[in-house]
Amino acid sequence: MSLISVLGAQWGDEGKGKIVDLLAEKANVVARFSGGSNAGHTVCNPYGEFKLHLIPSGIFYPHTVCIIGNGVVVSPDVLLNELKQLREKNVDTSRLYISSRAHLVMSYHFLLDRLEEEAKGSKALGTTRSGVGPAYMDKAARLGVRAGDLLHEEDLRRSIAVAVEQKNAILSKVYGVPPLSVEDVYDQCCHYREQLGPLVCDTVPVIKGALGRGELVLLEGAQGALLDIDFGTYPYVTSSSPVAAGAFVGVGLSPSQYRIDCNLGVLKSYTTRVGGGPMPTELADETGELIRQKGSEFGATTGRPRRCGWFDAVAARFSADINGFTAVALTRLDVLDSLARIKICTGYRVDGEALAEFPSSATVLARSEPVYEELPGWQCATSHLRRLEDLPKEARAYVDRLSELVSCPVGIVSVGPKREETIMVMPIP
Ligand code: IMP
């Protein structure tokens, strides 16, 4: 087995950081392929607790090469800050590489993310304001500054001049904000070049080389399938493709040359969402609050309280289908430990009619009423358990039912934030 992917299967925040941290021990390469610093992967290990926004969660293992792939948009300031924090805790960061094709999130992208959201008023998407959307807009509009430009004076000056001219038109004419100076942006990039230039390279040969030697490469997803720009609850989505197909584009692998041997979908044992957009199983009651408090469901990037609700098997099945998961990592089972009854959404009804599929329209999803089945809770602690057969029978039944509804075997059950608070159901890899 040589290629593993760990992908978010809901609306992000499923606990991918812990799962990658766990599996990275055996990986030679861990590569991020999409998103940017809108992601916040919480990792709790012997070095301490970290919230990684850009650096792959494999950084804690001395033998693991970490790659920020071409599909990622990189905020140099966030990255430099993250590197500083890791170095302060004596984590060796010398094996980190940034794809020369990755686009940079510039200071004006942060500014535009905020201005665009403010201008939308009550219709705001609730973005993380990490500049990620505006950076992907520039990438598609061919106005981006790429990491590789930092290494080429001429490319850097040209790309900055083109981008700043266009930004100034928008900033002054649309938002009435003072224009940017090309020289200031250029000077800022020279600082980034000094700090990050040595990490920038063509990362495709690094990944292909590892796969060619039969080494283990782990593709680390960010966000989740329901936030995918194509398959998510558009327009309440992020601007990239966190799904399995996006992983190939985002690191430069061909699907006819390589196959994902283990495609692990990370599913939280309940559902959360942060930001706007429909969420049929959202609980605006004390059970939702209990889950939020017990699960510390507050955004790792923005600190916003996450919306919490029951497990949505319709959405999870859709996600498994789009991604082709070979196994599921079920996280945060322990958060449900105290509940007497637990509901699972097994279907939707719209205007009294059963809906066969997860709808492509966010408006239809917003009108979808969940159809629930109810299971008894287990009402005892599970964080100390390490084998599936040791789980209380109600917890086991819950895990089995989710697996059945999603039509995917459960490979890992996570019962706490620490590495060891894990039940390995099947060997991965
Ligand atoms: P953006 O990606 O910052 O543009 O935000 C677009 C939507 O995706 C918003 O609803 C965000 O809250 C959501 N989002 C982006 N990244 C994450 C994440 O890592 N976890 C959960 N939600 C996210």
Side-chain angles (χ1 to χ4, degrees):
M1 189 176 286
S2 57
L3 194 54
I4 297 187
S5 53
V6 177
L7 307 176
Q10 293 156 315
W11 279 290
D13 308 318
E14 299 91 352
K16 298 175 289 292
K18 168 179 166 167
I19 303 297
V20 175
D21 179 56
L22 201 70
L23 300 180
E25 186 172 12
K26 292 187 189 154
N28 300 86
V29 177
V30 177
R32 271 275 307 265
F33 62 81
S34 71
S37 59
N38 47 357
H41 293 173
T42 306
V43 178
C44 194
N45 62 27
Y47 287 100
E49 187 178 322
F50 299 86
K51 291 196 194 313
L52 299 177
H53 299 285
L54 280 166
I55 298 180
S57 310
I59 198 72
F60 301 100
Y61 293 102
H63 59 275
T64 307
V65 169
C66 288
I67 287 178
I68 298 179
N70 53 277
V72 179
V73 288
V74 182
S75 159
D77 288 322
V78 173
L79 181 57
L80 287 170
N81 190 33
E82 213 160 278
L83 282 167
K84 184 166 164 277
Q85 284 180 19
L86 288 169
R87 286 170 186 152
E88 277 168 6
K89 295 266 176 87
N90 297 319
V91 179
D92 174 12
T93 58
S94 64
R95 295 151 288 100
L96 176 71
Y97 300 100
I98 307 165
S99 166
S100 49
R101 294 180 175 89
H103 282 243
L104 299 183
V105 180
M106 310 290 280
S107 52
Y108 48 77
H109 291 133
F110 281 85
L111 178 63
L112 284 165
D113 206 348
R114 178 171 65 76
L115 292 171
E116 283 166 15
E117 281 284 274
E118 283 171 3
K120 285 188 184 126
S122 62
K123 296 190 182 69
L125 299 180
T127 74
T128 58
R129 302 197 179 189
S130 315
V132 164
Y136 279 116
M137 278 165 70
D138 274 3
K139 176 176 178 174
R142 281 117 337 149
L143 289 168
V145 179
R146 306 203 299 177
D149 293 344
L150 296 177
L151 307 181
H152 299 284
E153 186 72 21
E154 207 180 315
D155 289 347
L156 185 62
R157 283 204 176 271
R158 181 193 43 77
S159 54
I160 289 175
V162 174
V164 170
E165 186 186 345
Q166 192 256 9
K167 294 305 159 242
N168 280 343
I170 295 173
L171 289 173
S172 58
K173 291 184 190 146
V174 179
Y175 297 111
V177 166
L180 307 161
S181 136
V182 172
E183 276 314 304
D184 285 354
V185 176
Y186 177 76
D187 289 347
Q188 202 174 29
C189 286
C190 291
H191 164 67
Y192 298 150
R193 174 170 52 206
E194 268 170 41
Q195 304 290 317
L196 298 174
L199 314 186
V200 176
C201 65
D202 184 354
T203 50
V204 178
V206 182
I207 297 179
K208 291 179 94 165
L211 289 169
R213 291 188 295 276
E215 294 177 358
L216 184 69
V217 173
L218 196 159
L219 303 174
E220 175 177 358
Q223 287 82 46
L226 305 176
L227 288 170
D228 182 86
I229 182 105
D230 288 290
F231 294 100
T233 47
Y234 195 90
Y236 300 98
V237 292
T238 193
S239 307
S240 63
S241 296
V243 294
F248 276 81
V249 182
V251 295
L253 292 179
S254 148
S256 64
Q257 218 175 354
Y258 300 96
R259 197 171 61 95
I260 300 180
D261 303 291
C262 172
N263 186 10
L264 199 58
V266 186
L267 279 169
K268 216 179 256 192
S269 304
Y270 46 95
T271 308
T272 63
R273 173 161 207 172
V274 61
M279 175 182 163
T281 63
E282 182 170 9
L283 291 168
D285 60 9
E286 67 276 14
T287 307
E289 191 53 35
L290 187 143
I291 293 174
R292 185 175 304 114
Q293 295 304 331
K294 175 90 200 297
S296 302
E297 293 293 357
F298 297 88
T301 302
T302 60
R304 290 179 289 180
R306 295 181 186 138
R307 301 155 64 192
C308 300
W310 298 119
F311 187 88
D312 185 338
V314 184
R317 196 164 47 229
F318 169 74
S319 178
D321 198 35
I322 291 294
N323 282 289
F325 296 137
T326 57
V328 158
L330 192 64
T331 61
R332 296 184 162 237
L333 187 70
D334 56 300
V335 172
L336 305 180
D337 279 354
S338 65
L339 299 178
R341 312 281 305 166
I342 300 176
K343 290 186 184 178
I344 305 172
C345 167
T346 55
Y348 298 148
R349 290 187 84 77
V350 181
D351 300 332
E353 298 281 319
L355 207 63
E357 304 290 340
F358 186 77
S360 60
S361 155
T363 311
V364 175
L365 187 65
R367 289 175 43 227
S368 299
E369 287 171 28
V371 177
Y372 286 119
E373 76 180 34
E374 203 169 302
L375 269 61
W378 45 96
Q379 295 192 282
C380 62
T382 52
S383 289
H384 60 291
L385 302 175
R386 299 290 172 267
R387 298 184 316 163
L388 200 58
E389 51 271 35
D390 294 339
L391 282 177
K393 70 174 189 323
E394 294 84 357
R396 184 80 195 264
Y398 184 67
V399 172
D400 288 347
R401 183 66 180 132
L402 297 193
S403 171
E404 186 182 25
L405 287 167
V406 179
S407 300
C408 201
V410 171
I412 298 177
V413 179
S414 172
V415 286
K418 300 198 188 106
R419 265 184 198 166
E420 62 274 18
E421 290 171 331
T422 307
I423 297 172
M424 293 302 292
V425 184
M426 57 172 74
I428 299 170

